[in-house]
Amino acid sequence: MSSAGVIALGQIPEDLAILPMCLEGSRSPHCLSGSQLKDSIFIFVAVPGAPPMPMSVLGSESIASVKLRIQRFRGFVVNKQRLVLDGHELARNNSHVKDYGLADGNILHLVIRLADLRLINIETTSGKKFQFQVDQSRNVKYLKSKLAVEGDEDLSEDHKLECDGKELEDHQLIADISKKDGAVIHLFIRKPAKLQTQQVDIDTVVTVVTPQEKENLQNEARAVNPVEPAGVTPALIEPIIVNQKVKLSPEVMRMISSAIAGLENGYLPVMSAEGSGGVYFMQNASGEKNIAVFKPIDEEPMAENNPRGLPVSTDGEGMKRGTLVGEGAFREVAAYILDHPIGDHESEKHDGFSGVPPTALVQSLHRGKSFKIGSLQMFIENNGSCEDMGPGAFPVKEVHKIAVLDLRLANADRHAGNILVNKEEGGKYKLIPIDHGYCLPEKFEDCTFEWLYWPQAREPFSDETIAYIKTLDAEEDIKLLKFHGWELSPRCARVLRISTMLLKKGAARGLTPYDIGRILCRETVNRDSEIEDIVQEAEDHVLPGTTEVIFLETVSEIIDRHLDMKFA
């Protein structure tokens, strides 16, 4: 999962708290020139677990430059990070700070992935559960102190932490317990208990084995839902189906069945170190591998229970303009439903053209505590993401299948980190698109496609891809989503109709993904994209009260004229 976990920078000395950060990362009241002082903006970078970090930036400075200086501060370097202002991501790296309206006193929320951070879950002898994000340079004594203070626990000498059957000494570093980047450590304290560990992919999981309660985790996972009649045990994962005529694909059913088997055997969801929302790995029956990824609705970015420290949305809008908090799960499922297979859109097997992993909306037992609603997506084994390597080795066909999906759904969050890479036999790379919580927005303002700048995007579509694009029908897609229980808002439906229209017209004229993508995406934050100008022209042209059909016909005519003039 791309996107990211949250970093804690630590305490800032009081004598440095009011001094701006210079361009090279030092602090001094005299580090800016006169012209820079006029352009200087004094802001704060907010991170969970630490006071806001004061920082001076220039209005003419790019977002990429600000991110780079944050990376260099105190020597940590990361690739994945997001800056969020007033609930919206500053996503366009080449845009200037002033283009986003950044002003003195504003607070930027920093969300990144940092390998030095470890997620620690502690279960005490009394059955209480706590969760801490701890830097791997901290020791076990620090962990105990956090438990004593925040957990209000009386830790006597009889209480101890054990891992792999050995007691953890106070001086031991968290890094010595788990050396895997991105690992999630689960520690359980129970006085007579012995702890055993196992390696699950990149995660080190420590579980409890007690003579008296050897099925304690399983019993917890099988807790009866209070709303169910006595003696009836609810399904641990249950698909949410609004229309009883809907048939889930065999792949989805197998995924749900495997995830249920994992929960029944006591393997509770494990939180990922990455993601701007709650992202949890569901394991199979043996606990040896991840089988699915669960994203609860109430833990989405800007949602009330978001675990990454992001502020709660004040107006309901998500991190991307034109999306609503709490609808990410629906969009994840919609991307899978609309990823039609070649030739037969009704295929039960559903091997989609773009390769979106099987996804369903489910109610799931969450970490043994309660049931939550969210999206469940099949976990795909991979060799990393496109962020981990240059795009030069990717086949044109693989890039184009991602481009078709993003252009059609007006994806507002396609970056290299949410395209997985799988190296197949023969050395060829297969790309897998994930994280579609910001597709199908109500407006085009935040459309961004990282592949737009890859050389493959300038290659023409193949005959096979053009034939596939010809079969796309936005009206049928809207009906299909309604059949599955999600009726798009009028504005979302309009965006889908227009983006599909542009893709079909562009492909028919022999345009490349780059040509079409440039029309959908803004070059800078404060300059409307070409498609936004086209929509505005159509709105200015038609009379108030004009039907949507007439409006779309007007848009179609303007697009034709625009393409003929630009690509004649």
Side-chain angles (χ1 to χ4, degrees), residues 176-459:
D176 295 332
I177 300 173
S178 175
K179 299 182 182 299
K180 292 284 187 179
D181 287 344
V184 180
I185 306 169
H186 291 260
L187 300 177
F188 298 90
I189 307 175
R190 198 161 294 186
K191 185 177 178 180
K194 293 184 178 180
L195 300 176
Q196 63 183 17
T197 65
Q198 59 183 342
Q199 194 68 30
V200 180
D201 294 336
I202 62 172
D203 298 334
T204 301
V205 180
V206 185
T207 54
V208 182
V209 180
T210 65
Q212 300 88 347
E213 303 175 50
K214 58 184 176 181
E215 293 186 355
N216 59 323
L217 294 181
Q218 295 184 34
N219 291 335
E220 186 177 30
R222 293 174 177 151
V224 177
N225 191 328
V227 302
E228 296 286 345
V232 177
T233 302
L236 299 185
I237 301 177
E238 188 170 7
I240 297 176
I241 301 177
V242 177
N243 183 354
Q244 296 303 314
K245 295 181 180 180
V246 170
K247 293 183 179 180
L248 297 180
S249 68
E251 292 85 357
V252 166
M253 296 306 297
R254 284 194 294 268
M255 171 183 66
I256 292 176
S257 178
S258 295
I260 289 176
L263 289 176
E264 288 178 339
N265 288 340
Y267 299 107
L268 302 183
V270 177
M271 186 175 181
S272 171
E274 300 182 23
S276 48
V279 179
Y280 299 87
F281 295 117
M282 312 289 282
Q283 298 168 65
N284 66 357
S286 65
E288 295 176 350
K289 66 177 183 178
N290 296 324
I291 197 68
V293 178
F294 181 56
K295 298 180 181 179
I297 284 177
D298 68 324
E299 296 187 22
E300 291 180 7
M302 319 301 295
E304 182 178 1
N305 294 322
N306 176 264
R308 309 295 188 179
L310 290 174
V312 176
S313 175
T314 57
D315 57 4
E317 191 170 46
M319 280 177 60
K320 300 294 182 176
R321 289 176 173 83
T323 64
L324 294 177
V325 174
E327 288 189 352
F330 297 106
R331 290 181 161 85
E332 293 273 11
V333 176
Y336 172 63
I337 293 173
L338 298 186
D339 185 19
H340 304 301
I342 294 178
D344 183 8
H345 289 195
E346 302 300 324
S347 171
E348 287 189 4
K349 190 173 182 182
H350 204 110
D351 288 332
F353 175 82
S354 300
V356 177
T359 313
L361 188 68
V362 302
Q363 173 182 271
S364 174
L365 182 70
H366 188 62
R367 313 192 83 175
K369 298 177 182 179
S370 61
F371 283 87
K372 288 194 176 188
I373 294 175
S375 63
L376 187 72
Q377 184 170 91
M378 182 177 291
F379 179 85
I380 304 297
E381 297 291 341
N382 61 84
N383 301 105
S385 71
C386 291
E387 191 171 48
D388 302 318
M389 59 190 75
F394 305 145
V396 172
K397 179 181 178 181
E398 291 296 305
V399 175
H400 282 193
K401 76 178 188 182
I402 307 292
V404 169
L405 181 73
D406 291 342
L407 292 168
R408 180 169 155 237
L409 304 186
N411 197 346
D413 191 36
R414 175 63 72 210
H415 52 82
N418 57 30
I419 306 177
L420 302 180
V421 180
N422 187 16
K423 193 171 185 179
E424 299 183 314
E425 292 184 11
K428 290 187 177 181
Y429 289 106
K430 180 179 180 180
L431 303 183
I432 302 102
I434 60 171
D435 292 349
H436 297 104
Y438 294 115
C439 69
L440 296 170
E442 293 191 346
K443 48 189 174 182
F444 293 100
E445 185 173 343
D446 272 350
C447 283
T448 50
F449 316 135
E450 177 137 347
W451 51 258
L452 191 62
Y453 306 101
W454 296 355
Q456 297 91 333
R458 296 177 181 265
E459 297 290 330

Side-chain angles (χ1 to χ4, degrees), residues 5-10 46-50 70 76 78 110-114 117 133 308:
V6 181
I7 178 175
L9 296 179
V47 292
I70 294 176
F76 67 83
V78 292
L110 176 65
V111 184
I112 68 173
R113 173 181 181 247
L114 185 63
L117 203 63
Q133 287 182 319
R308 309 295 188 179

Side-chain angles (χ1 to χ4, degrees), residues 44 83-90 100-103 105-109 302 310-321 325:
F44 297 89
L83 293 177
V84 179
L85 173 65
D86 293 333
H88 295 108
E89 181 185 359
L90 281 59
Y100 275 103
L102 200 64
N106 282 165
I107 297 178
L108 286 182
H109 290 266
M302 319 301 295
L310 290 174
V312 176
S313 175
T314 57
D315 57 4
E317 191 170 46
M319 280 177 60
K320 300 294 182 176
R321 289 176 173 83
V325 174

